[in-house]
Each structure stands twice: as C-alpha cells, then as structure tokens.
Amino acid sequence: MALPPSLKPLIVAGNPDAPHTLEVFLDYVCPFSGKFSRAIDNHIRPLITHGGKYDGKVKVIFRLQVQPWHSASTLTHEAGLAVLRVSPENFWPFSCQLFDNQEDYYDIPTLDLTPRQIRAKLADLAAKVIPPKAVEHFQDILTPKGHLNGGVAVTDDLKYNIKFARQNGIHVSPTALWDGLVANEVSSSWGEKEWSDFFAAKVKS
C-alpha cells in the first residue's frame, strides 16, 4: 500500500489518507483493464468521493501492470509515467484516454511501427490532455539518452511498478488487492450493485 512520494498521483480516487485501500493492477493494452478503468469512474468514485457513502474511507491506487507479451505495453506505461511526471494532475485523465484508445496500441495495429513511431502517437494522445507547454517535456522524457541501454527518464519509475507487482506475485491484469490482500472475487464486469455490496462487506463503520 506504500508509494514513493513521486508516485503519489497513482492514487486516482478517494482521499489519500483513507484507512482502506483498493489497489488495481491494470495494463493499458488489456481490454479487461479498460473495462475496470471505466468502473473506477462510473461506479467506484461516486461511492468514495463527494459525499458518497464511503467518502474518506477508501482510496484507489492504480498499479501499472506491464504485460510484456503485448509488444507496446512497456511503451504505453512509460507514457503514463511521463504524464505523471510532467502534469501529475492529468495522469488519470490521460490514463482514461489511453484506455479508451487502447486498440490503437494492440499487437497487430503496432506490428509495423517502430518504438519511435509509437511514442509519437502517444505524444499526440497526451497533447489532448496535458498543457501544450508540457508536451515537449513529455517527449524529452521518453527519448533515450546517455548509456546505450539506459532506458528513458522514467525507467526507474517503471522498474518500481514492475518490482512491486513481482514481489506481490501479481501475474495478470486486472488484479485487485483490498488492504494488501488479493481480492479474487473482484471482476472488471462489476457494476454499481456489486461494488456497493463489496464495500458494504469490507468497510466497517
């Protein structure tokens, strides 16, 4: 449930000081993760913010779950972390944009694209959400520099997310943790009733 201070914007819903934590491991190019991202806004957020029944009691952390069998997964997650760096308040809006356009980054649509071309597409997508002055910084962050195999400016942030998932035995997306334990019952197909029932069972007044 811990986060480095620089990654605090990964708390995408609820009060950061809330006593309960729902952690969701999502991959930007996983269709079920896309469904889950929409559930966060449509079903979970109304329950845990703005006077909802569990306002102040639950927070949601988005854990970036890179799945390397999808060739563009690493590049999309780097883009999310770059937005988090240059425009943290727009990290979740960008993530939602990326989930809504995730098919553009599936295996076949990106088959003949180079990493440079994919990053350019991601920059165009980011430009729809982040301030114009931040776009150049976003592109600079995703430009490899220095050592021939040193990655980009957010590689260490990416490593943190991958290592966190590995040490917790997370293998697939989406996976949900409630207060640090895997909640196998959680489904990306859940609607308002299922989430209401889940919180009613888990959150004790």
Side-chain angles (χ1 to χ4, degrees), residues 15 56 110 138:
N15 187 326
T110 58
F138 170 93

Side-chain angles (χ1 to χ4, degrees), residues 27-29 66-68 70-81 119 122 142 154-155 158 162:
D27 177 15
Y28 284 125
V29 291
V66 177
Q67 299 189 127
H70 297 308
S71 58
S73 183
T74 295
L75 299 176
T76 56
H77 286 284
E78 286 177 345
L81 290 167
R119 286 177 171 138
L122 289 162
L142 296 183
V154 291
T155 294
L158 188 72
I162 292 171

Side-chain angles (χ1 to χ4, degrees), residues 32-50:
F32 298 103
S33 293
K35 288 179 63 177
F36 207 120
S37 73
R38 289 180 277 278
I40 290 173
D41 279 347
N42 295 335
H43 306 306
I44 298 174
R45 190 182 301 277
L47 290 169
I48 67 173
T49 60
H50 307 307

Side-chain angles (χ1 to χ4, degrees), residues 23-115:
E23 297 172 85
V24 291
F25 290 77
L26 307 177
D27 177 15
Y28 284 125
V29 291
C30 165
F32 298 103
S33 293
K35 288 179 63 177
F36 207 120
S37 73
R38 289 180 277 278
I40 290 173
D41 279 347
N42 295 335
H43 306 306
I44 298 174
R45 190 182 301 277
L47 290 169
I48 67 173
T49 60
H50 307 307
K53 185 174 181 179
Y54 305 100
D55 189 359
K57 297 180 180 180
V58 179
K59 61 182 175 291
V60 178
I61 299 177
F62 171 17
R63 299 288 189 180
L64 279 65
Q65 176 71 359
V66 177
Q67 299 189 127
W69 48 87
H70 297 308
S71 58
S73 183
T74 295
L75 299 176
T76 56
H77 286 284
E78 286 177 345
L81 290 167
V83 170
L84 187 146
R85 183 80 62 89
V86 305
S87 186
E89 69 278 10
N90 288 307
F91 168 73
W92 182 243
F94 170 75
S95 294
C96 291
Q97 280 265 26
L98 187 44
F99 279 122
D100 286 345
N101 292 274
Q102 64 180 188
E103 290 187 6
D104 292 344
Y105 303 93
Y106 281 2
D107 296 343
I108 290 179
T110 58
L111 184 62
D112 296 318
L113 300 180
T114 67

